[in-house]
Amino acid sequence: MSGLPSLAVVGATGAVGTVMCELLSSRKNVWGEIRLLASARSAGRKVYCRGEELTVQELSSSSLEGVDVAMFDVPDEVSAEWAPRAVALGAVAVDNSAAFRMDRDVPLVVPEINPEQVRNRPKGIIANANCTTLTMIVAIGPLHREYGLRELVLSSYQAVSGAGQVGVDTLHDQLSKIAGDRVLGSRSGNVRQAVGDDLGPFPAPMALNVVPWAGSLRDAGWSSEELKLRNESRKILGLPDLKVSATCVRVPVVTGHSVAVHAVFGAEVTAEGAREALRNAPSVILVDDPAAGEFPMPIDAVGTDPSWVGRIRRAMDDPRALDLFVTGDNLRKGAALNTAQIAELVAAELTAK
């Protein structure tokens, strides 16, 4: 193990941190020592990672000493404080929060699209994109290279796990309350009455419902999730003037974010040409046979790494536009996997020195 860079997983006991540990056990091993760090309340827990039982340590300056790369999956305010501390102690920080994504001195990296940006880190920090952006952008990247992207109109269908474990628990609790009552959903108000005040992190019941809202309120009625799709897509693709309009919707799916995409390009595009570009693209699975009932759906994509893409058709009124549907596991490629892939690029750089 000597000679390989050391790694810290900060937030190792959370939903995404747990997936990070699973990925470290299943992917090619490029790491020497691995430390699992979390808050004081999780310190002392035992977690299996890479075939061994590791004890979770409390996040502190001493627990970060000697670490070469630190992967962060913690709240924004924790990353804002501790990622720079990790850098000051000699680590490269790979952060999955929103704290640094739009910082001009912090690259926002998707390894399938802009891996070269990993080395452009004046602050020693590399940011990971929002889970909805990642699901969509892996499919949009190869289409942009082929046809030159000009505009995106997006509608997301975001799983409750995007709001954390409390979101998953809330949905299951609501489903338990309504199970067996076949009248629910047929009259205004009866679902709200059955669910009661158990709304969890959502502004309305999730069971038997879709909620056209995700994130927090921003100017002019936009949500933070919608602005992330716009701003992060621009930065990842290197298109600062890209037109993007998004509507984010929360749906009663446990895990797997989906996005309906209307993409306008600078050149004429065909559905078959798009399929060919996507068929050969990394981290993409093409599932596009409506006649056979084969579509990209979160119940199939959950637990897998790629973005699943289908329903590809050229817009009826614009030969330069495509409509398609993308879905992917928001805890894997949408969070833990992309973070791990970035960290592996840094590991390769450090090992080559």
Side-chain angles (χ1 to χ4, degrees), residues 174 177 192-200 202:
Q174 292 179 0
K177 288 182 178 181
R192 288 184 183 272
Q193 185 176 14
V195 168
D197 296 329
D198 179 25
L199 299 181
F202 309 115

PDB file of all heavy atoms in Angstrom, residues 174 177 192-200 202:
ATOM      1  N   GLN A 174     -45.836   8.169   4.565  1.00  0.00           N
ATOM      2  CA  GLN A 174     -47.073   8.591   3.926  1.00  0.00           C
ATOM      3  C   GLN A 174     -47.734   7.441   3.173  1.00  0.00           C
ATOM      4  O   GLN A 174     -48.957   7.267   3.215  1.00  0.00           O
ATOM      5  CB  GLN A 174     -46.803   9.766   2.980  1.00  0.00           C
ATOM      6  CG  GLN A 174     -46.415  11.047   3.688  1.00  0.00           C
ATOM      7  CD  GLN A 174     -46.123  12.192   2.728  1.00  0.00           C
ATOM      8  OE1 GLN A 174     -46.200  12.036   1.513  1.00  0.00           O
ATOM      9  NE2 GLN A 174     -45.770  13.339   3.273  1.00  0.00           N
ATOM     10  N   LYS A 177     -49.637   5.267   5.477  1.00  0.00           N
ATOM     11  CA  LYS A 177     -50.898   5.859   5.932  1.00  0.00           C
ATOM     12  C   LYS A 177     -52.021   5.711   4.910  1.00  0.00           C
ATOM     13  O   LYS A 177     -53.187   5.610   5.275  1.00  0.00           O
ATOM     14  CB  LYS A 177     -50.691   7.348   6.250  1.00  0.00           C
ATOM     15  CG  LYS A 177     -49.886   7.610   7.508  1.00  0.00           C
ATOM     16  CD  LYS A 177     -49.778   9.103   7.758  1.00  0.00           C
ATOM     17  CE  LYS A 177     -49.021   9.398   9.047  1.00  0.00           C
ATOM     18  NZ  LYS A 177     -48.933  10.853   9.318  1.00  0.00           N
ATOM     19  N   ARG A 192     -54.381  15.012   1.468  1.00  0.00           N
ATOM     20  CA  ARG A 192     -53.834  15.868   2.532  1.00  0.00           C
ATOM     21  C   ARG A 192     -54.380  15.458   3.900  1.00  0.00           C
ATOM     22  O   ARG A 192     -53.653  15.419   4.896  1.00  0.00           O
ATOM     23  CB  ARG A 192     -54.175  17.331   2.260  1.00  0.00           C
ATOM     24  CG  ARG A 192     -53.404  17.960   1.103  1.00  0.00           C
ATOM     25  CD  ARG A 192     -53.740  19.439   0.980  1.00  0.00           C
ATOM     26  NE  ARG A 192     -53.074  20.079  -0.148  1.00  0.00           N
ATOM     27  CZ  ARG A 192     -51.874  20.629  -0.104  1.00  0.00           C
ATOM     28  NH1 ARG A 192     -51.173  20.590   1.030  1.00  0.00           N
ATOM     29  NH2 ARG A 192     -51.353  21.208  -1.161  1.00  0.00           N
ATOM     30  N   GLN A 193     -55.670  15.150   3.953  1.00  0.00           N
ATOM     31  CA  GLN A 193     -56.279  14.757   5.218  1.00  0.00           C
ATOM     32  C   GLN A 193     -55.700  13.440   5.726  1.00  0.00           C
ATOM     33  O   GLN A 193     -55.421  13.284   6.916  1.00  0.00           O
ATOM     34  CB  GLN A 193     -57.791  14.634   5.049  1.00  0.00           C
ATOM     35  CG  GLN A 193     -58.540  14.348   6.340  1.00  0.00           C
ATOM     36  CD  GLN A 193     -60.035  14.339   6.146  1.00  0.00           C
ATOM     37  OE1 GLN A 193     -60.534  14.300   5.018  1.00  0.00           O
ATOM     38  NE2 GLN A 193     -60.778  14.392   7.243  1.00  0.00           N
ATOM     39  N   ALA A 194     -55.490  12.480   4.817  1.00  0.00           N
ATOM     40  CA  ALA A 194     -54.963  11.184   5.223  1.00  0.00           C
ATOM     41  C   ALA A 194     -53.512  11.280   5.677  1.00  0.00           C
ATOM     42  O   ALA A 194     -53.111  10.619   6.644  1.00  0.00           O
ATOM     43  CB  ALA A 194     -55.081  10.193   4.064  1.00  0.00           C
ATOM     44  N   VAL A 195     -52.727  12.109   5.002  1.00  0.00           N
ATOM     45  CA  VAL A 195     -51.305  12.246   5.338  1.00  0.00           C
ATOM     46  C   VAL A 195     -51.118  13.071   6.602  1.00  0.00           C
ATOM     47  O   VAL A 195     -50.222  12.820   7.410  1.00  0.00           O
ATOM     48  CB  VAL A 195     -50.546  12.878   4.147  1.00  0.00           C
ATOM     49  CG1 VAL A 195     -49.154  13.310   4.554  1.00  0.00           C
ATOM     50  CG2 VAL A 195     -50.483  11.893   2.985  1.00  0.00           C
ATOM     51  N   GLY A 196     -51.966  14.069   6.790  1.00  0.00           N
ATOM     52  CA  GLY A 196     -51.838  14.933   7.960  1.00  0.00           C
ATOM     53  C   GLY A 196     -50.673  15.893   7.836  1.00  0.00           C
ATOM     54  O   GLY A 196     -50.342  16.361   6.742  1.00  0.00           O
ATOM     55  N   ASP A 197     -50.051  16.162   8.955  1.00  0.00           N
ATOM     56  CA  ASP A 197     -48.957  17.143   8.982  1.00  0.00           C
ATOM     57  C   ASP A 197     -47.588  16.523   8.711  1.00  0.00           C
ATOM     58  O   ASP A 197     -46.570  17.206   8.815  1.00  0.00           O
ATOM     59  CB  ASP A 197     -48.926  17.849  10.344  1.00  0.00           C
ATOM     60  CG  ASP A 197     -50.180  18.669  10.603  1.00  0.00           C
ATOM     61  OD1 ASP A 197     -50.757  19.171   9.619  1.00  0.00           O
ATOM     62  OD2 ASP A 197     -50.589  18.783  11.779  1.00  0.00           O
ATOM     63  N   ASP A 198     -47.558  15.257   8.363  1.00  0.00           N
ATOM     64  CA  ASP A 198     -46.289  14.562   8.134  1.00  0.00           C
ATOM     65  C   ASP A 198     -45.747  14.873   6.743  1.00  0.00           C
ATOM     66  O   ASP A 198     -45.784  14.045   5.841  1.00  0.00           O
ATOM     67  CB  ASP A 198     -46.490  13.050   8.306  1.00  0.00           C
ATOM     68  CG  ASP A 198     -45.215  12.253   8.047  1.00  0.00           C
ATOM     69  OD1 ASP A 198     -44.128  12.837   8.197  1.00  0.00           O
ATOM     70  OD2 ASP A 198     -45.325  11.061   7.694  1.00  0.00           O
ATOM     71  N   LEU A 199     -45.265  16.111   6.564  1.00  0.00           N
ATOM     72  CA  LEU A 199     -44.769  16.535   5.261  1.00  0.00           C
ATOM     73  C   LEU A 199     -43.258  16.432   5.151  1.00  0.00           C
ATOM     74  O   LEU A 199     -42.715  16.527   4.048  1.00  0.00           O
ATOM     75  CB  LEU A 199     -45.212  17.980   4.967  1.00  0.00           C
ATOM     76  CG  LEU A 199     -46.721  18.215   4.914  1.00  0.00           C
ATOM     77  CD1 LEU A 199     -47.006  19.679   4.583  1.00  0.00           C
ATOM     78  CD2 LEU A 199     -47.397  17.301   3.905  1.00  0.00           C
ATOM     79  N   GLY A 200     -42.578  16.246   6.277  1.00  0.00           N
ATOM     80  CA  GLY A 200     -41.123  16.149   6.234  1.00  0.00           C
ATOM     81  C   GLY A 200     -40.505  17.376   5.604  1.00  0.00           C
ATOM     82  O   GLY A 200     -40.917  18.511   5.890  1.00  0.00           O
ATOM     83  N   PHE A 202     -40.825  18.459   2.595  1.00  0.00           N
ATOM     84  CA  PHE A 202     -41.538  18.852   1.389  1.00  0.00           C
ATOM     85  C   PHE A 202     -42.695  19.806   1.718  1.00  0.00           C
ATOM     86  O   PHE A 202     -43.268  19.737   2.807  1.00  0.00           O
ATOM     87  CB  PHE A 202     -42.061  17.615   0.662  1.00  0.00           C
ATOM     88  CG  PHE A 202     -41.001  16.565   0.446  1.00  0.00           C
ATOM     89  CD1 PHE A 202     -41.082  15.328   1.064  1.00  0.00           C
ATOM     90  CD2 PHE A 202     -39.898  16.829  -0.352  1.00  0.00           C
ATOM     91  CE1 PHE A 202     -40.107  14.362   0.889  1.00  0.00           C
ATOM     92  CE2 PHE A 202     -38.905  15.883  -0.533  1.00  0.00           C
ATOM     93  CZ  PHE A 202     -39.003  14.645   0.092  1.00  0.00           C
TER      94      PHE A 202
END
